[in-house]
Structures are given as structure tokens and as C-alpha cells.
Amino acid sequence: GALIPVVLSKVSKFCFRYHVTATMTNILCGGGVGLMVGVLMHFSGLSQLLGLITGIIRNLLRWRFILPENGSNIQMSSLEKVIVPVLRNLQEQWSALASNLPTVFYQSSILQAQTIQCSSQFLPVPMGLGFLYGCIFVYGSKIGMYHSLFLPAILLEMDSASMGEEASLLGAIDECTLVMVCAGICLGNLTLPPSSQRKSQRGESANSGMRSLSWQALKTNILCGDFIEAAYPSMESSKIVNGFAYLAAGLSTEIIIQRRVLSSAYMPLPMAIWISNDRWGMGIACSVALAVSLFGTLASNLISLYR
């Protein structure tokens, strides 16, 4: 992706300088540049290197073993022969470290891993690490990390996924920590508006703006899986709402991480659950995120009535 604009600029300047016809210029820029970059990537070994790197990142994002346990029987290239021993050593060190910390495999009906091969396919995840993931997602979305870091990581995780794993672990976290948390806050504001919003001015309710925003955001989040920014005013104005938003994100993400739930935002909620590899797990995580954020918003707005 980074090479194509550079090569395209060079080819365009070349065609202009040597008066290449418009038709031939279009052919060279439209097809020749892609072919040229593809050949360069193939014969230079960059495609193999980048494929190896993206595969490693994809497995790390899903807390899956980077290499299969019988990896010694796999034919490896010279590049992989250099990288593989290092990765195996890192795997062993992490497994040894995590084995001394609380982990969950088949110990809870809610956090139960979906497949019986969970412990052999996935790296052990200490309890609480998923909660931290959720809090990072909420905080990162506030400071502009979503489009610069989270969304590219989701797309990278979904790239070249195997059959049945086309969805994303980070996509499921995105749906719960941002979309469902926002939906819960907006539903709470619709059910019980804050007292500061209930006062009337000139016979009109000052709450109309908040109610309209909450209703539009609730519909958009449930039906489209987007518009998380609508919750930010409530989170910034109330420490209780903000705290429960982090709590909802952390608890739902803990379920997702331990069960290795795959899904995606940017689609209707029923479809996000339907495409998941673990529909029960995704449904439970979404319900937890919605219920906790809703409860926190209702509690905050109720307390504001008596201030």
C-alpha cells in the first residue's frame, strides 16, 4: 500500500516527461503499477516477510499460539528458521509466567471456553487482563486512538482469516465496550433524564436536546453499530456514568477474552451476535455491557434528582 503511491507518482511523471499518450498512461498507471509492485514484492521476499509478520500479529491479537505445537515438523524458509526459535522461546516464557497467575479454562459457565481444544490452541490469559483491555478501549476512543490504532488492528486481524474465523476478537470488544456501552447510557438518559436536564425554560423542556440525541444514538448503535460519541457528554458530566462505562467495558471484555469470542461492530446487533463464533458468549457480553452502563446511568440520574 505504501509503495503504490510512490511508484504511481514516478510512472506519472515519466509518462508526462516523455509525452506518453493518455491511453497508454492510463494502462501503465492502472495496471502496470500494480503489476510492478506485485512482482517486486514477490521476488524481493517482502510478501513472505509481511505475511509472516501479519500472521504473527493476528495470532497475538487473538491470544492464539503463534506456532502450532508440532511446528518442528513444518517445512520452513530460511527467514522463518531465524524467527521461529525466538517466537517459541517467547511462547514458553509467557506460558510459564501465566501458569503462575489466575487463569480460566472451563471453570465457569459464563467464562467457559467454547472449544475443548482451548487450552492447546490459545495462550493462557490471566484473569483481569480482559478487563484492562476493555478499559483501554474506552479510554483510547476518547483520545483518538480508535481510527489510528484499534480499527487498523481489527482489519489486520480479519485479513486472510481461516474459515469460520472471519470475524474479529477486537471487533467483538469494539461492539461491547463502545457500541453497547453507549447504547446503555443513551437508554438510561431516555428512561430517567438527569435532573439538570429536566428544568424548563420558557415553557420548553431543556431536556429535548439530550432526549433527541439519546434516541438517535440508541437507534444508530443498535441498528448500525456506530455513533459511540453520543455517550461522551454524559460520561464527562458524571463520574458515576463514566465509572460504570469503564466497568461495563471491562466486564464484557473479560468474557470475550476468556471465551475467545469473534464478532464485529458496524452492523445490527442481532447480526453481530449471529456472525459470532460463540453466539451465547457474544450475547452474554453484550447484555452485560448494556445492563451495567444502563444501571450506572440510572443511578447517576436518580442521585442528581436529590441534589
Side-chain angles (χ1 to χ4, degrees):
L3 287 175
I4 288 178
V6 176
V7 178
L8 184 61
S9 176
K10 299 292 184 181
V11 172
S12 299
K13 291 180 180 178
F14 173 85
C15 293
F16 179 78
R17 177 178 298 178
Y18 292 99
H19 306 288
V20 178
T21 62
T23 302
M24 182 56 67
T25 300
N26 287 333
I27 294 174
L28 291 176
C29 292
V33 170
L35 179 62
M36 189 183 309
V37 173
V39 170
L40 175 63
M41 294 283 290
H42 177 74
F43 287 102
S44 65
L46 284 175
S47 59
Q48 182 184 8
L49 174 62
L50 294 177
L52 178 62
I53 293 175
T54 54
I56 291 171
I57 294 175
R58 188 181 306 112
N59 285 318
L60 288 176
L61 289 175
R62 295 187 176 182
W63 290 90
R64 187 188 293 272
F65 278 106
I66 299 173
L67 301 168
E69 295 180 350
N70 59 347
S72 58
N73 299 326
I74 298 176
Q75 296 294 329
M76 296 182 294
S77 66
S78 57
L79 178 62
E80 291 171 326
K81 289 180 180 179
V82 175
I83 299 178
V84 164
V86 177
L87 298 180
R88 283 182 178 163
N89 184 41
L90 292 175
Q91 278 187 188
E92 293 172 358
Q93 291 184 11
W94 171 258
S95 296
L97 174 63
S99 63
N100 297 322
L101 299 173
T103 57
V104 170
F105 287 117
Y106 323 111
Q107 295 178 5
S108 167
S109 59
I110 294 180
L111 297 179
Q112 184 179 14
Q114 185 192 10
T115 62
I116 59 175
Q117 297 86 2
C118 182
S119 59
S120 62
Q121 291 182 1
F122 296 99
L123 291 166
V125 181
M127 286 290 293
L129 192 58
F131 190 95
L132 180 61
Y133 260 50
C135 294
I136 291 175
F137 243 81
V138 174
Y139 179 75
S141 68
K142 290 183 176 182
I143 61 174
M145 293 177 60
Y146 182 81
H147 290 94
S148 62
L149 179 61
F150 297 155
L151 187 57
I154 292 172
L155 297 177
L156 181 62
E157 182 189 351
M158 298 174 71
D159 177 56
S160 302
S162 58
M163 183 66 68
E165 297 184 347
E166 295 85 354
S168 166
L169 180 71
L170 294 181
I173 296 175
D174 182 9
E175 175 73 12
C176 289
T177 61
L178 302 181
V179 176
M180 296 309 299
V181 167
C182 176
I185 293 173
C186 292
L187 182 59
N189 286 330
L190 286 171
T191 305
L192 182 65
S195 62
S196 60
Q197 302 288 337
R198 288 167 164 255
K199 298 179 181 179
S200 299
Q201 291 181 342
R202 299 179 182 178
E204 296 180 358
S205 174
N207 181 42
S208 59
M210 174 64 75
R211 181 175 292 276
S212 176
L213 174 63
S214 298
W215 174 239
Q216 293 297 328
L218 179 61
K219 291 191 298 182
T220 305
N221 278 286
I222 297 299
L223 298 178
C224 303
D226 199 7
F227 199 16
I228 63 173
E229 297 83 2
Y232 293 160
S234 297
M235 294 174 66
E236 294 301 322
S237 62
S238 172
K239 292 182 179 180
I240 297 177
V241 174
N242 193 50
F244 270 86
Y246 279 96
L247 179 62
L251 292 176
S252 59
T253 305
E254 186 68 35
I255 297 173
I256 290 172
I257 291 290
Q258 295 296 343
R259 295 180 65 112
R260 271 56 176 203
V261 178
L262 307 180
S263 185
S264 177
Y266 299 104
M267 59 180 58
L269 176 60
M271 184 173 292
I273 296 175
W274 183 75
I275 68 169
S276 176
N277 66 321
D278 182 359
R279 294 171 185 170
W280 277 108
M282 187 62 184
I284 293 171
C286 288
S287 299
V288 168
L290 179 68
V292 173
S293 58
L294 171 61
F295 177 80
T297 305
L298 292 175
S300 174
N301 293 349
L302 184 61
I303 291 173
S304 68
L305 292 177
Y306 299 98
R307 288 181 177 176

